[in-house]
Amino acid sequence: MRIDLSLLLSDQNLDAGAPTSQRQLRIAVAAKADDHDRRLPLNLCLVLDHSGSMDGQPLEIVKSAALGLIDRLGEDDRLSVIAFDHRAKIVIENQQVRNGAAIAKGIERLKAEGGTAIDEGLKLGIQEAAKGKEDRVSHIFLLTDGENEHGDNDRCLKLGTVASDYKLTVHTLGFGDHWNQDVLEAIAASAQGSLSYIENPSEALQTFRQLFQRMSNVGLTNAHLLLELAPQAHLATVKPVAQVSPETMDLTVQNQGAIEEVRLGDLMTDQERVLLLNLYLDQLPPGQHVIGQVQIRYDDPASGQTNLLSDPLPLTIQVQTQYQPSTDVQVQESILTLAKYRQTQIAETKLKAGDRQGAATMLQTAAKTALQMGDKNGATILQTNATRLQSGEDLSEGDRKKTRMVSKTTLQPPSAPSEH
């Protein structure tokens, strides 16, 4: 398994007469499989809300979705299951999947009761998942339908960081409309995972399958971007690095002397992780210049090797006395993706402040950006919600959650019903 890394600047040319210039750098990284590479062994922990509000169809469907994952796990894979209400308990201890029937019985016995303490469930999930993480792809699926009424949201965010430190990826799944999107999104972002919105119970099975497929396609783990810039190049001081694919989110930069470091987490073999960096360049003389270099530090669970380094990739720019712009289409697409995210963030901020018209205007702008990207489904949702605000309507919890999800991803058209 190898690293596939590419660098693209928004404009490869630079004006020699400009005292300062701004450029966006698109970095795409993925795991590259060799012919002999096989799927890595998995270590999956399900952390499931079984509070009273999950009673009836919601819990039964979640249990069915969880049972469906057991059939997809092999004997070399490991599984643990945690259930939480206002307390947390171990339903299935971390173990290899060699007795699927016994594991299934544990899940089937779950009943809805009690309140909700997400942090208790996540803490116990981290403890169990950590037992089986050696040389495996380790993910936690955390599902809840409610607010953290019996827990501490700040503790949830700290636990997301703890999971990341333990090299555990956490995917959060919001079920229904009454969960705290800020908390679940922050947990997922701090633990290099994704946030999923299960609007209807019938979507649970497909969502679990998609996340499991993503986990199965991981080739390398614990990846970090290492960026070393020349003295004439600088990262922006505010929101310098964002991920734009598979989901859009801001990333944290750690300064390690001459190296800027960004934690990426797992790298998949079938989907690039794409970052967009905001750079400022000082005036440079004419000619070609190396303004930095990029490396990836990573672990390879298949070989048991850690802290491996990819070959350094130089970042070059052409400085011209007669400046001719040379823009890149792929970078422009990434810029639009981030713009849609930022515009929707501004709309949310305005709406929270009571500025309905300002929020509507920004949602309309985001809808136009989505159309430029070819994201027609996202544009429809953003424009519909803008129209509702302009007409004096309130946005429902579902509307607000859908708006946030649209800002982070490109929605796929609904699949046609299968024929029987």
Side-chain angles (χ1 to χ4, degrees):
M1 199 70 70
R2 297 171 286 114
I3 289 288
D4 189 9
L5 179 66
S6 65
L7 310 178
L8 291 172
L9 284 168
S10 52
D11 186 344
Q12 187 58 49
N13 296 334
L14 193 68
D15 187 352
T20 59
S21 302
Q22 184 180 16
R23 292 291 184 272
Q24 284 74 39
L25 170 62
R26 180 187 186 271
I27 300 177
V29 59
K32 186 76 171 179
D34 295 318
D35 292 338
H36 63 275
D37 287 326
R38 299 180 180 179
R39 175 173 80 75
L40 295 173
L42 307 179
N43 174 39
L44 173 62
C45 179
L46 302 178
V47 180
L48 305 176
D49 184 347
H50 74 126
S51 59
S53 57
M54 291 287 291
D55 192 28
Q57 185 191 31
L59 184 58
E60 292 306 312
I61 288 180
V62 168
K63 285 157 63 174
S64 295
L67 292 170
L69 294 183
I70 297 174
D71 296 334
R72 294 171 176 261
L73 292 167
E75 289 190 353
D76 290 334
D77 298 325
R78 300 185 72 90
L79 176 70
S80 52
V81 180
I82 306 299
F84 69 93
D85 44 36
H86 53 279
R87 298 177 300 270
K89 64 180 180 182
I90 299 173
V91 178
I92 305 295
E93 292 185 350
N94 189 287
Q95 61 186 266
Q96 285 187 255
V97 185
R98 291 180 176 168
N99 190 346
I103 292 173
K105 285 182 180 178
I107 294 173
E108 288 168 349
R109 282 195 294 265
L110 282 177
K111 295 181 180 179
E113 56 187 349
T116 305
I118 297 170
D119 43 338
E120 291 297 323
L122 181 56
K123 177 185 176 182
L124 199 52
I126 291 170
Q127 291 173 355
E128 280 302 300
K131 295 175 183 177
K133 69 186 182 73
E134 196 67 30
D135 296 335
R136 280 179 165 80
V137 176
S138 297
H139 286 210
I140 296 173
F141 294 0
L142 168 63
L143 180 143
T144 184
D145 76 332
E147 292 276 355
N148 195 25
E149 57 187 355
H150 292 280
D152 184 329
N153 286 337
D154 289 337
R155 187 180 181 221
C156 284
L157 306 188
K158 291 176 183 176
L159 285 168
T161 302
V162 169
S164 178
D165 292 341
Y166 273 75
K167 302 179 183 179
L168 303 171
T169 298
V170 181
H171 301 288
T172 54
L173 300 90
F175 196 95
D177 291 338
H178 301 294
W179 44 278
N180 189 316
Q181 186 149 357
D182 292 333
V183 171
L184 292 197
E185 185 171 5
I187 293 170
S190 61
Q192 289 77 46
S194 63
L195 169 67
S196 298
Y197 173 30
I198 303 175
E199 184 179 7
N200 301 304
S202 59
E203 299 169 0
L205 180 60
Q206 181 64 19
T207 302
F208 271 56
R209 285 177 175 172
Q210 288 171 345
L211 289 176
F212 184 80
Q213 187 62 47
R214 176 169 173 166
M215 181 182 183
S216 300
N217 288 335
V218 170
L220 300 168
T221 62
N222 195 35
H224 291 72
L225 168 74
L226 306 179
L227 173 68
E228 185 174 5
L229 293 173
Q232 299 86 358
H234 320 274
L235 277 176
T237 54
V238 179
K239 297 184 177 180
V241 181
Q243 176 179 290
V244 295
S245 180
E247 305 88 16
T248 308
M249 66 179 77
D250 287 303
L251 297 179
T252 302
V253 180
Q254 299 288 337
N255 184 270
Q256 307 290 346
I259 303 293
E260 306 285 357
E261 184 172 321
V262 181
R263 180 171 170 79
L264 304 178
D266 296 330
L267 298 179
M268 292 173 282
T269 58
D270 67 332
Q271 187 172 38
E272 291 179 324
R273 191 174 288 268
V274 180
L275 312 183
L276 195 64
L277 281 63
N278 195 8
L279 297 177
Y280 287 91
L281 302 173
D282 298 335
Q283 191 169 19
L284 289 165
Q288 188 175 69
H289 295 266
V290 176
I291 57 173
Q293 71 170 27
V294 174
Q295 278 183 293
I296 304 296
R297 188 176 72 241
Y298 61 96
D299 297 343
D300 184 357
S303 65
Q305 294 177 289
T306 60
N307 294 319
L308 299 172
L309 284 173
S310 67
D311 293 333
L313 195 61
L315 175 62
T316 62
I317 197 164
Q318 188 69 36
V319 183
Q320 301 174 325
T321 51
Q322 300 295 322
Y323 169 61
Q324 297 289 329
S326 177
T327 56
D328 186 274
V329 174
Q330 283 184 283
V331 184
Q332 295 306 313
E333 290 175 354
S334 294
I335 291 171
L336 286 174
T337 300
L338 185 56
K340 180 181 70 166
Y341 179 65
R342 295 271 185 259
Q343 291 155 359
T344 310
Q345 281 184 317
I346 294 170
E348 286 189 8
T349 301
K350 288 182 178 294
L351 189 56
K352 288 178 182 177
D355 182 3
R356 299 167 64 92
Q357 289 304 313
T361 299
M362 287 311 303
L363 286 178
Q364 284 181 318
T365 302
K368 292 176 183 176
T369 303
L371 278 178
Q372 282 183 271
M373 297 166 54
D375 181 10
K376 295 181 180 179
N377 293 316
T380 299
I381 290 171
L382 292 166
Q383 182 58 57
T384 298
N385 287 341
T387 302
R388 284 174 178 161
L389 288 175
Q390 287 174 326
S391 64
E393 293 181 46
D394 290 325
L395 296 185
S396 68
E397 282 297 322
D399 291 334
R400 290 170 184 258
K401 287 177 169 57
K402 211 174 288 185
T403 297
R404 180 83 65 89
M405 297 306 298
V406 163
S407 78
K408 294 171 66 65
T409 59
T410 299
L411 293 184
Q412 299 301 316
S415 58
S418 58
E419 296 181 4
H420 298 285

